[in-house]
Amino acid sequence: MPKIVDHPARRREISAIAATLIAEGGMEVATIREIAHRSGYSKGVIEHYFNGKAELISGALDWVNQGYASRAAQATFGLSGLAALRKRIEAILPLNRAVTNEWKVRLVFWSTAAIETELRTQQAERFENAVEFYASDIRVAIEQGDIAAGSAAKPLAHRLFASTIGLSTTALYSPSLSSKLYFRDEIDHLIHRLILGL
Amino acid sequence: MPKIVDHPARRREISAIAATLIAEGGMEVATIREIAHRSGYSKGVIEHYFNGKAELISGALDWVNQGYASRAAQATFGLSGLAALRKRIEAILPLNRAVTNEWKVRLVFWSTAAIETELRTQQAERFENAVEFYASDIRVAIEQGDIAAGSAAKPLAHRLFASTIGLSTTALYSPSLSSKLYFRDEIDHLIHRLILGL
Amino acid sequence: MPKIVDHPARRREISAIAATLIAEGGMEVATIREIAHRSGYSKGVIEHYFNGKAELISGALDWVNQGYASRAAQATFGLSGLAALRKRIEAILPLNRAVTNEWKVRLVFWSTAAIETELRTQQAERFENAVEFYASDIRVAIEQGDIAAGSAAKPLAHRLFASTIGLSTTALYSPSLSSKLYFRDEIDHLIHRLILGL
Amino acid sequence: MPKIVDHPARRREISAIAATLIAEGGMEVATIREIAHRSGYSKGVIEHYFNGKAELISGALDWVNQGYASRAAQATFGLSGLAALRKRIEAILPLNRAVTNEWKVRLVFWSTAAIETELRTQQAERFENAVEFYASDIRVAIEQGDIAAGSAAKPLAHRLFASTIGLSTTALYSPSLSSKLYFRDEIDHLIHRLILGL
DNA sequence: TATGAATGAGTCTTCATTCAT
DNA sequence: TATGAATGAAGACTCATTCAT
């Protein structure tokens, strides 16, 4: 009888370690050997759960995005429209060390996805997905009359998303652009812009 | 007396090749061996002009940013205020293959800079530098009455910069977000927002 | 379960080959590649058993010293005092090709140990260790009345050790100083000196 | 008209720098590039005065031995027999940092000379040379009646030489074996042994 | 399922040496 | 004589991956 193992849980566990390592030292540090060492499993086990390095990195990104997704879901629970949107934005901006690490992993992944065609498509879908979450909140806000009537939800969502990325990216390098105060002002501004339908 | 060589020119030449390789295949492809091969020089020569790999990658980024800088300088020649700003934005967005490649190099560099403290600081300075260019254009535009009086230039510049990054980054992965039409609309929108002082 | 390997035995096996190569051609020849080639293992295996070159060289020296130690232990088995001492000296002097090779390895190691602080301390301990073996034999000989009463064992051991090193070192370069006859005379002389307590 | 250069002086100058580098960091550090850098000359100049690396290392050893030779000559000036011998011994033992460095260079050279046949012969000659200096002092001492009549000078010289090497070599690694006090005692002892004709 | 031994390609880097100027 | 540009071999080392157990 084979040992019973929670396969998906193992994957998540290993993915989390991979993500941490990437955030700490980039791809150079996230070697299979190191992941094995940190996880306490053997090298063979890692390869058993992930079909090669690429899948492992992909897993790390999924774990990171999953983290954001559940955080956003929890924060927006019971909310809708502008209120939900604000929470959603707060959930993605690197307001603390943990989220900053998420962004580091994203950046590492993006830099390789920008080059490999296959990953590029996947990434585009991920973006579209995230934008759609914004868009649906915006649509509700429009219905609720919180956003200027006649506004197109999708373009607004895209712009919001772009600002979000820009804000997060620059924050990674400059302390002054990653203070909670700065982020609060910018979030206020983003919401304000939405209200104006811009 | 030794052979006379234009040292800086050599560096630029090699940097350009490194940048191209990074844009084509990421860091994995941009090995010293490959750079040597593409450039027609021997491996030793590369190390003769660059003190190790890190400096070489740094050189590639400098070359890329230099390319943008001179392109922007040329495009904004004789212009000021909003007109200059529009050209400056056009110069940074990945409207064509060449600029798209620039962005790929940036992304690769950012992903490692996010992890290494020393590079992080350098990157923050580069950002600040770029923002300041926007800010000075904005200041002129405010003086000229093109932007809502009483607007603070620096925050506007920062937001513009963030949007610029977000727009460019997402464009790398999705064709629909990298069409000239889309970019034109977004540029118009960015300018419009500035005019409103938002 | 993985293939079962006698780890220490492998280390010894590889160390022996490294030592042989060093004796044959110095550090220049004792490259990891060559060691791998001679051993029949792949380069990776070498690194699997040794954490870098330094450890490998260290292993080679250990193997050499181990060889002397067991040779001396065997030769002095059942003996004590002056009789043991004579055997011990015979075991260290380069009376044959094999021991000459041991000395070549020692010399190579000493030349690097003279420069690196950490190795220097290790080497001092090794010396002290070897001297102590002499000293304990000498103490017994004094008790047995074979060595002039009132002699201090440690200084005698140190002098004996120094002579041993000098004899062996010079022998490496000159055939006339490495003949068995010459060595026999010198050993006799060393013992004679000890008996006189000098 | 070619520039007038004191060829031998240049060689000595460069040899001295090479020797210093070897003493500081071993052969690994004594690269032609580094020697060029330290000397202020270009790489080409080094190769101009020395026909390859081997000759350069040889030059460093010569410079070191030359230093000892002139130091000994100066110290023994006007002396003969046992008195001269004492000074000669004092001149070779690593009583200070400078002489310790000399020994480091010797050790580095010996370790390579032990392997290469050609160098081995050269080294044997150097040894023989040094021994002969001792021997001639000893002969005078015998004539003067300071050393037991009927003693054979050459064997005594050889033993003295061996002790000298052993003392110096061990001193490189252990502070307790390189104190001035220890050396003085050992020198006294060596002289004492000679007087007894041992 | 799990282990870790083994592989060998590939990385950056350093170096002595040659040579055009 | 002198410079330093250029070469190319060789070094240590790391890594993803395969596979026998």
Side-chain angles (χ1 to χ4, degrees), chain D residues 1 22 26 42 61 93 101 119-120 133 156:
Chain D
M1 227 184 302
I22 291 172
S42 74
L61 180 67
L93 293 181
N101 280 347
L119 296 179
R120 195 157 45 198
F133 268 95
L156 287 181

Side-chain angles (χ1 to χ4, degrees), chain A residues 89 93-94 103 161-172 177-178 182-183 186-187 190, chain B residues 158-159 161-163 165-166:
Chain A
I89 297 171
L93 292 182
W103 273 101
F161 186 63
S163 290
T164 281
I165 287 179
L167 242 34
S168 303
T169 304
T170 51
L172 291 182
L177 300 180
S178 55
Y182 175 74
F183 278 131
E186 292 303 313
I187 294 172
L190 289 171
Chain B
H158 265 297
R159 280 170 203 144
F161 186 63
S163 291
I165 287 180

Side-chain angles (χ1 to χ4, degrees), chain A residues 44-60:
Chain A
V45 169
I46 310 298
E47 290 280 349
H48 182 71
Y49 286 95
F50 293 89
N51 221 10
K53 184 84 179 273
E55 199 175 305
L56 187 48
I57 301 304
S58 216

Side-chain angles (χ1 to χ4, degrees), chain D residues 31-33 43 52-53:
Chain D
T31 66
I32 290 192
R33 191 179 305 183
K43 271 186 304 170
K53 184 84 180 275

Side-chain angles (χ1 to χ4, degrees), chain A residues 10-160:
Chain A
R10 273 281 169 84
R11 274 186 69 104
R12 274 195 304 274
E13 184 189 355
I14 295 172
S15 294
I17 290 166
T20 305
L21 281 169
I22 293 172
E24 281 179 6
M27 290 286 289
E28 293 185 8
V29 162
T31 66
I32 289 192
R33 189 177 307 184
E34 187 61 24
I35 293 168
H37 181 73
R38 288 259 192 137
S39 66
Y41 299 121
S42 74
K43 272 186 305 170
V45 169
I46 310 298
E47 290 280 349
H48 182 71
Y49 286 95
F50 293 89
N51 221 10
K53 184 84 179 273
E55 199 175 305
L56 187 48
I57 301 304
S58 216
L61 180 68
D62 287 343
W63 181 82
V64 153
N65 285 336
Q66 191 65 31
Y68 158 66
S70 57
R71 201 169 53 240
Q74 198 172 335
T76 62
F77 183 73
L79 302 179
S80 73
L82 241 35
L85 209 48
R86 172 178 285 270
K87 292 295 180 187
R88 215 177 284 287
I89 297 171
E90 282 173 1
I92 195 66
L93 292 182
L95 281 154
N96 57 50
R97 188 60 189 274
V99 186
T100 301
N101 280 348
E102 287 182 4
W103 273 101
K104 288 181 184 175
V105 175
R106 276 187 200 106
L107 229 55
V108 165
F109 195 81
W110 290 1
S111 77
T112 81
I115 272 106
E116 295 186 33
T117 323
E118 200 176 350
L119 296 180
R120 193 156 46 199
T121 318
Q122 282 177 31
Q123 191 52 40
E125 285 169 16
R126 267 188 273 256
F127 279 164
E128 188 53 30
N129 217 319
V131 169
E132 187 49 37
F133 270 94
Y134 287 164
S136 68
D137 280 341
I138 290 174
R139 274 183 217 108
V140 172
I142 293 173
E143 284 172 20
Q144 295 174 337
D146 288 336
I147 289 182
S151 301
K154 211 51 180 284
L156 287 181
H158 266 297
R159 278 168 206 148
L160 175 57

